[in-house]
Amino acid sequence: MGVRPVSAPPRSQQPLTAVALVCSLKPSPAPSSSEMIAEHICEQLRRSAEVHTEILRCVDYAISPGVEADMGDGDEWPRIRQKLLAADILVLSTPVWVGHPSSIAQRVLERLDAELSNTDGAGRPVMVGKVAVVAVVGNEDGAHKIIADMFQGLNDIGFSIPAQGGTYWVGEAMQSTDYKDLDEVPEPVAKTTAALARNAVHLATVLRDDQYPPYQ
């Protein structure tokens, strides 16, 4: 008698997956506060529901400017895009530079804009049904505005934003202390990050089991 193939468990029983896009301007292996806060979020995601996580530092990839899914000629965005398509949760982490998100974070949003015209069999943009959260670090003002701008762009693209889906740390203005330099994470930040992870897992589970209605 032949061996009966083992079928994969239903998707609802498979672990959730998350991809963190770190939008630091510093290439690896330079220490990065943006990567550290992304790691803290991923740690909480794994603790909340054993979410499978992966962290990518975007500046390590050749991400061409443009608003297409594949800009050709050495563009490495398609590699990142495939990971996002397979994930349930996107973690977008950016530093504050002159009061704004990094240019890398803006480029990520510009490239994600292509997904508005890429639809599934039910006519939904392919990112609809996925969850996105945002983390911001810096030693100047701007965290709330950056989170608001990132949320707006991500939601337009189709991502769902959970309750309290943003976390941030902003140090004293015009000083040199970064998030990565802290001896420990301040309790309010740690609690916010943990709540973000719990809510992201909850919403991702709900959407995986009960997708948005067809657009057609």
Side-chain angles (χ1 to χ4, degrees):
M1 180 181 295
V3 177
R4 180 176 298 176
V6 178
S7 60
R11 189 166 184 266
S12 61
Q13 297 179 14
Q14 296 177 13
L16 293 170
T17 59
V19 173
L21 298 186
V22 175
C23 297
S24 171
L25 298 181
K26 301 173 183 176
S28 300
S32 165
S33 292
S34 299
E35 183 159 324
M36 178 174 287
I37 198 168
E39 289 172 348
H40 291 165
I41 292 173
C42 288
E43 178 183 349
Q44 289 296 328
L45 288 171
R46 294 191 296 269
R47 183 177 299 174
S48 295
E50 297 183 353
V51 177
H52 290 179
T53 64
E54 182 176 8
I55 298 176
L56 306 176
R57 199 181 299 198
C58 291
V59 75
D60 293 339
Y61 295 81
I63 302 175
S64 301
V67 291
E68 302 294 334
D70 187 346
M71 299 301 297
D73 296 328
D75 181 25
E76 292 186 298
W77 175 256
R79 294 172 54 189
I80 298 174
R81 178 178 182 268
Q82 289 303 314
K83 294 179 182 293
L84 295 180
L85 290 174
D88 300 290
I89 300 170
L90 164 63
V91 177
L92 184 63
S93 178
T94 180
V96 183
W97 281 111
V98 292
H100 298 279
S102 73
S103 57
I104 302 296
Q106 183 63 34
R107 180 159 296 185
V108 166
L109 287 182
E110 291 164 353
R111 295 305 302 271
L112 283 169
D113 184 74
E115 308 311 330
L116 284 169
S117 57
N118 293 321
T119 58
D120 63 15
R124 296 174 294 233
V126 292
M127 296 302 173
V128 168
K130 299 181 185 298
V131 171
V133 295
V134 173
V136 177
V137 290
N139 51 21
E140 57 180 293
D141 195 13
H144 276 172
K145 177 63 163 55
I146 289 171
I147 290 173
D149 288 347
M150 296 293 101
F151 278 174
Q152 179 63 53
L154 291 165
N155 188 250
D156 278 352
I157 290 158
F159 290 93
S160 295
I161 311 301
Q164 298 182 317
T167 188
Y168 71 93
W169 177 87
V170 176
E172 185 179 359
M174 303 177 71
Q175 301 299 315
S176 59
T177 300
D178 292 328
Y179 185 76
K180 60 182 172 56
D181 300 324
L182 301 178
D183 293 330
E184 61 180 1
V185 178
E187 184 178 359
V189 178
K191 286 184 175 179
T192 300
T193 299
L196 173 152
R198 290 194 303 271
N199 292 344
V201 166
H202 174 77
L203 182 55
T205 301
V206 169
L207 290 173
R208 184 175 63 177
D209 295 341
D210 191 6
Q211 182 56 279
Y212 286 106
Y215 280 26
Q216 297 175 340

